[in-house]
Amino acid sequence: MTGGKPQADTPPLQRSIKEIERENLYRHFMQAPFPIAVFKGPRHIIELANSQILLGWGKGSEVLGSPLEEALPELRGQPFLGWLDGVLETGVAYEGKEQLARLPAGPNGELADVYCNFVYAPLHDAEGAIEGVLVSAFDVTREVLAHREVERAHREVERALMRAEASEAQFRELVENLPELAWNALPDGYIDFYNRRWYEYTGTTFEKMQGWQWTSVHDPEKVEEVSKRWQASLDSGEPFEMEFRLRRHDGVFRWFLTRVIPFRDADGRIVRWFGTNTDVDDQRRERERAEQLASELSVLSQRLHAAQRAANIGIFDWDIVSGQTTWSPELYGLMGLEPDVIEATPEAWTERLVEHDRQRGWDAFRVAAEARASLMEVEVRLRQPSGAARWVRLSTDIEYDLAGAPTRLIGAVVDVQVLKEAILERGRAPRSQNRPAELKTSFSPR
């Protein structure tokens, strides 16, 4: 893709495209309080990545525009690339929970174990085709390690219960020192003990909570479902797990993940239930924000494609370093072709130009690159399958590396055939018709 003379100012049309394509998207991404990125195409080209996800990868902004596997070779042999392929192929979002990843950490790039929750959501164009994947992730390493510590404490509690000499006092001492809200229930579900963390959070007393009075601090909209599912576990003897909100001492409701397991005697009879409530409010809000953001970005992407189609504007992206080139469906349309009938390459673009315009376009790019111009513009003619030629205006943004070599071209191709025909027609009109009538106004000389 080539352009013409360097421009000092961004043309209005190109600025509008960049505002839609970049400012809106970057504004959403860069302000997100959690790691987020967009990958495009089957090679998962890193289109956008905010500072949080770059930090998590142990990489800098130089990976933008690179295929994910090349930018993060550490992912080879891990399941993430396969999951991304699956989202592109099926259009079905993939959600991972407490997934182990081996990622660079430290100044020497040593690999470290990182646990994360993440969502891979498909991004669609205006026609509904899948064009990429939106990734939102949350580092839950601290929570996973804390949960493992709780599980270790659970095992210690269970071992204590299994010991014949274990006393009720020993059991309660273990539960009292857990970092989570915790409690104990009799085989029929009657709660007869809460640890201090429960009382600190709820601001209640045992007299107000014993038995089934715990329902008073539950979300009124959810308490009936919680009660039914808890009763089902009591009836079946199966462990209980559910997320619901609990009211804090100041009246604020926060989301908790509640897990309850049965302890059995040597004959298999349940002798008590042991439950913990883990605060997951922050993670849940981040997940909901990520889902909302994915929806907003899909709408923005569809609006952008709709605007391009209505204005007959084609978009291209040529990554010179990786050799990856993408054309929008509208650009194929300006060539008179169906999308993807020919591979998007700089050589294919040159081949579609009228022969007289080919060298002129490349010369314009060379002049702009030598001047390290960030913008350029040129008008060229595209050959149509019928043999006719269509005038288009190419507006291009050029990116450079530190050595001054061009690394990427992103731009818009606008149909100006009607404008050219109008100019030509006006040039053919009689001279008297070309000269506009002089009108006397308050701004005209007398």
Side-chain angles (χ1 to χ4, degrees), residues 380-391:
V380 292
R381 288 166 293 174
L382 283 172
R383 292 187 301 107
Q384 304 295 297
S386 64
R390 181 195 296 266
W391 278 100

Side-chain angles (χ1 to χ4, degrees), residues 38 44 87 90-91 146 162-163 186 215 225 228-229 236 289 330 336 347 355 372 384 408 432 435:
V38 162
H44 311 302
V87 173
T90 65
M162 294 301 102
R163 292 196 302 266
L186 300 178
T215 57
E225 180 185 354
K228 288 181 179 179
R229 290 181 59 174
S236 66
R289 172 61 179 153
E330 292 75 24
E347 294 75 20
E355 187 173 359
R372 295 193 66 176
Q384 304 295 297
R408 192 176 187 183
S432 60
R435 182 179 303 137

Side-chain angles (χ1 to χ4, degrees), residues 390-391 415-424:
R390 181 195 296 266
W391 278 100
D415 186 352
V416 294
Q417 180 65 28
V418 174
L419 177 61
K420 284 287 187 180
E421 291 175 352
I423 293 173
L424 182 61

Side-chain angles (χ1 to χ4, degrees), residues 6-17:
Q7 299 289 318
D9 299 313
T10 307
L13 176 60
Q14 187 174 356
R15 182 174 296 278
S16 66
I17 292 296

Side-chain angles (χ1 to χ4, degrees), residues 40-45 85 88 131 324:
K40 286 294 186 69
R43 298 180 67 198
H44 311 302
I45 304 299
D85 291 339
L88 279 181
E131 61 177 359
Q324 180 79 12

